[in-house]
Amino acid sequence: MSEATSIKHQLAAASPNPLAERLKLTLNYDELSNCIRCGFCQPSCPTFKETGLEAASPRGRIALMKAVVDDLMVPDSSFQKQMDLCLGCRACEPVCPADVKYGQLLEQTRDAIEKHTDHRWWIKPIRNLAFQQLFPNQKRMRLLGSALRLFQRSGIQRLVRKSGMMNLFPETMSQMERILPEASSKGVIEQLGTYVPAAGNRKPIATVGMFRGCIMDVLFTETNMNTVKLLSEAGFDVIIPPTQNCCGALHAHSGELDQAKDLAKKNIDAFQASGVDYIISNAGGCGALLVEYGHLLHDDPEYADAALKFAGNVKDVSQMLMEKGSIPEFSIDKAAASHGQVSITYQDSCHLRNVMKAGNAPRDLMNRIEGAKLVELRGADRCCGSAGIYNLVQPEMSMDILDHKMEHVKETHAHYLLTSNPGCLLQMKLGIEREQMSGQMKAVHIVDFLYEHLANN
Ligand code: SF4
Ligand code: SF4
C-alpha cells in the first residue's frame, strides 16, 4: 500500500469531518482534476507574489481543495486561512492553459466554509444585517445614505475626527472613513426617473437597462447619473428598472450563495419585465457576477435558461460604448490644458478584465479624449487589494498589495488615475492619501471623467 493510500485510509477511518463532507458534495471534482499543476498561474497571483508560498497560490489552493475531497487532509484552520487570503481577483484564470474555473471552485469552497463556521457571537448579527437586511433592500440603503450624509454634513464627522475617536478603530477603517465620498439621499431613479431617451431626439441604437447597484447608488449616485447621461449621448434609450436589486456579488464571495441566487432571480425578473436589449453595469465587481448568473442558476429548472440569456446581454458601459455606441467627442477644456498636457492612467478592475473580458474598451475610450495623454501603469492588471470587503477583513495583505501598487502609480506622474469599479476607486484614493499625493493626483471613475469631458458639455 502506498504512503498516500495509507494516510487516506487512516483519515477515512477517523470520524468524518463535517466541512470535508460538505466540500465533497459542493466542489466540482472534474474542475479540480482539470488543473495540470503547470504553475502558469503563479506569477499572476498577488498573494503568491507577496508571500512566495505555494499554499497561497492558485495551484496550491486547488491542491488543498482536492486533497480534502480525496480524503488526504482535513480542512483545518490553515486550509481556511489560505481560502480567506485569496482576493478572488481571478487573475489566475485567463492565463490558465487548462481553463480551470478557479473562481467557481473558490465560491463553492467559501460557501461550504461559511455553512460550517461558528462565528463569534457578534459577527453573525452583523452579517445578517448587511447581507439580508441592508444590501437587498434599496429603501434601507437609502436610509443609510441619508444617515451617512447627515453625519458628513452636520459637523459630527468633523467632531469625531477632531476627538480622535476614529483611532479606536483599526487603522484601515479610520483611513477609509477619511476617503469615503459624500453619500446621497436620492438615488439615480429619484433624480433622473426610470427612463432617459437617446439625446437629440434620435432613433435609439438600442434600449439598455442600467444596473444601479446597491452601494453604488448611495455612495456613487453621481457616477450612476453620468452613466445614464453618457449612454443617452451615445444614442441609447436608457431604462432603469425600479424593482432591480443588489447583484449578490458580496454574498457570493462571502459564502452566502443561496442569497446570491435569490437576488439573481429578482434581477432577471426586473430586467426581463423592462424589455431591454442589454443590461449595463458601471462597476466591474457587480458586472462580473451578472455575467455569471448563467452559472449561478445553472441547476435551477425555472431560471436556468433565463439566467443564461440575461448573462449573455450584460456589458460594462465601456464595452457598450465602444462596441455599439455612437461615441461622442471628449476633450480636455482649454483652461486645464493650458497648464500643460493632462496625463491620465488606468488601474484595471480585476473583474472587468478577468471575468467580463472588457479587453481594451476602457483604454480605447481614454485614448479618444482630445488633449489627454494616457500613460500605461505598470502592473495595472494586478489587483489593487480592494476586492470587495477584502481591505477590511484582510487589512495587512491588502495594504501590502496597495503599497506595491502605489510604487508603480508614482512612476506614471499622471494627474488622474481612472478606474472602473467603486472598490478600486476607493482603494486608489486610499493609496493616494497614504502616499500624501492628493495635491498631485486624483482618482476618478472613468465614467465621471468621460462625462466631465464631453466636448459639448
Ligand atoms: S495555470 Fe491552471 S492548470 Fe496550471 S497550475 Fe494554475 S490552475 Fe492549474
Ligand atoms: S483569485 Fe487572485 S488571489 Fe486568488 S488565487 Fe487567483 S490570482 Fe491568486
Side-chain angles (χ1 to χ4, degrees):
M1 191 186 282
S2 72
E3 199 182 335
T5 318
S6 157
I7 295 171
K8 184 173 169 170
H9 280 257
Q10 284 170 32
L11 285 169
S15 59
N17 175 289
L19 174 54
E21 296 308 306
R22 169 75 67 168
L23 284 164
K24 283 180 207 170
L25 289 175
T26 315
L27 278 166
N28 180 335
Y29 196 76
D30 289 343
E31 203 59 54
L32 285 174
S33 307
N34 279 346
C35 175
I36 52 174
R37 306 186 52 73
C38 63
F40 285 1
C41 51
Q42 312 286 69
S44 61
C45 174
T47 55
F48 177 68
K49 187 163 182 279
E50 292 297 328
T51 63
L53 293 173
E54 174 73 15
S57 76
R59 181 174 69 181
R61 291 189 176 106
I62 292 170
L64 287 172
M65 294 171 195
K66 190 160 183 295
V68 169
V69 177
D70 285 341
D71 276 331
L72 290 173
M73 67 173 281
V74 284
D76 55 9
S77 58
S78 57
F79 172 89
Q80 194 167 332
K81 182 178 164 201
Q82 292 309 339
M83 300 306 148
D84 289 346
L85 202 63
C86 175
L87 293 143
C89 67
R90 315 267 294 263
C92 42
E93 286 188 18
V95 293
C96 174
D99 195 25
V100 174
K101 308 275 187 296
Y102 174 84
Q104 294 175 10
L105 293 172
L106 181 71
E107 240 163 47
Q108 291 155 4
T109 302
R110 286 191 169 160
D111 187 53
I113 290 176
E114 181 53 34
K115 290 196 164 76
H116 288 275
T117 299
D118 285 326
H119 289 299
R120 283 189 218 154
W121 64 269
W122 49 273
I123 301 244
K124 209 158 180 84
I126 292 180
R127 281 183 72 100
N128 284 349
L129 181 73
F131 291 134
Q132 288 176 24
Q133 311 295 330
L134 211 49
F135 298 143
N137 187 316
Q138 204 59 21
K139 275 194 188 138
R140 290 186 192 140
M141 287 300 293
R142 290 258 69 82
L143 276 176
L144 178 74
S146 303
L148 192 57
R149 193 178 168 83
L150 188 70
F151 170 77
Q152 290 168 325
R153 287 200 153 186
S154 63
I156 304 174
Q157 184 178 44
R158 235 187 2 259
L159 276 176
V160 167
R161 283 181 187 173
K162 245 183 161 175
S163 70
M165 200 190 285
M166 285 313 293
N167 296 335
L168 299 172
F169 292 91
E171 196 192 348
T172 322
M173 271 184 97
S174 57
Q175 285 175 345
M176 273 290 172
E177 187 276 327
R178 283 205 295 277
I179 49 112
L180 212 58
E182 192 168 286
S184 167
S185 51
K186 285 186 183 160
V188 62
I189 291 183
E190 285 89 346
Q191 306 209 42
L192 295 181
T194 54
Y195 172 66
V196 176
N201 293 324
R202 286 179 274 177
K203 184 173 179 294
I205 299 169
T207 303
V208 299
M210 158 84 190
F211 185 78
R212 68 179 166 195
C214 56
I215 298 172
M216 192 76 201
D217 208 36
V218 170
L219 289 180
F220 299 93
T221 318
E222 188 80 23
T223 308
N224 272 354
M225 288 165 58
N226 290 344
T227 304
V228 172
K229 293 181 202 164
L230 208 48
L231 286 164
S232 160
E233 286 293 332
F236 301 107
D237 272 359
V238 189
I239 290 178
I240 314 157
T243 52
Q244 63 178 293
N245 221 304
C246 161
C247 65
L250 284 173
H251 302 77
H253 302 157
S254 307
E256 303 280 357
L257 269 184
D258 294 339
Q259 285 179 45
K261 287 177 188 175
D262 286 346
L263 291 169
K265 290 178 194 172
K266 285 186 182 135
N267 284 325
I268 292 167
D269 288 344
F271 282 88
Q272 219 168 35
S274 67
V276 297
D277 303 311
Y278 296 94
I279 298 114
I280 306 302
S281 149
N282 58 10
C286 303
L289 191 74
L290 299 180
V291 298
E292 294 203 317
Y293 274 5
H295 164 72
L296 191 68
L297 296 172
H298 72 280
D299 53 2
D300 186 299
E302 200 188 333
Y303 276 88
D305 290 345
L308 215 52
K309 188 167 175 230
F310 175 98
N313 291 330
V314 174
K315 286 186 187 296
D316 181 72
V317 54
S318 61
Q319 288 174 299
M320 195 66 198
L321 291 175
M322 284 310 300
E323 288 172 20
K324 315 260 181 213
S326 152
I327 305 170
E329 285 179 15
F330 305 107
S331 91
I332 301 291
D333 80 59
K334 293 198 174 65
S338 66
H339 300 297
Q341 197 169 30
V342 171
S343 61
I344 53 181
T345 192
Y346 182 69
Q347 163 62 29
D348 284 278
S349 146
C350 299
H351 287 111
L352 185 59
R353 185 187 181 93
N354 303 326
V355 187
M356 293 189 81
K357 312 259 188 312
N360 273 333
R363 287 177 177 79
D364 288 345
L365 281 169
M366 289 160 71
N367 272 322
R368 296 175 79 110
I369 307 171
E370 202 190 310
K373 182 179 167 224
L374 175 60
V375 187
E376 202 47 61
L377 167 65
R378 201 151 57 95
D381 57 349
R382 197 177 289 272
C383 181
C384 61
S386 163
I389 52 169
Y390 188 92
N391 47 10
L392 297 177
V393 293
Q394 299 284 347
E396 214 173 296
M397 176 62 79
S398 172
M399 291 307 114
D400 286 351
I401 292 171
L402 179 60
D403 290 345
H404 284 136
K405 170 73 58 191
M406 293 311 293
E407 285 169 20
H408 296 161
V409 168
K410 277 188 223 162
E411 293 166 4
T412 66
H413 299 288
H415 299 104
Y416 295 94
L417 195 168
L418 308 192
T419 73
S420 302
N421 186 55
C424 311
L425 179 58
L426 288 180
Q427 183 85 339
M428 289 294 96
K429 281 180 188 256
L430 183 60
I432 290 170
E433 162 100 9
R434 278 163 71 88
E435 297 291 334
Q436 300 177 350
M437 289 164 60
S438 312
Q440 302 120 262
M441 185 184 276
K442 208 173 159 200
V444 187
H445 193 291
I446 184 170
V447 163
D448 294 331
F449 196 81
L450 289 170
Y451 185 73
E452 191 185 338
H453 296 101
L454 268 176
N456 63 358
N457 216 352

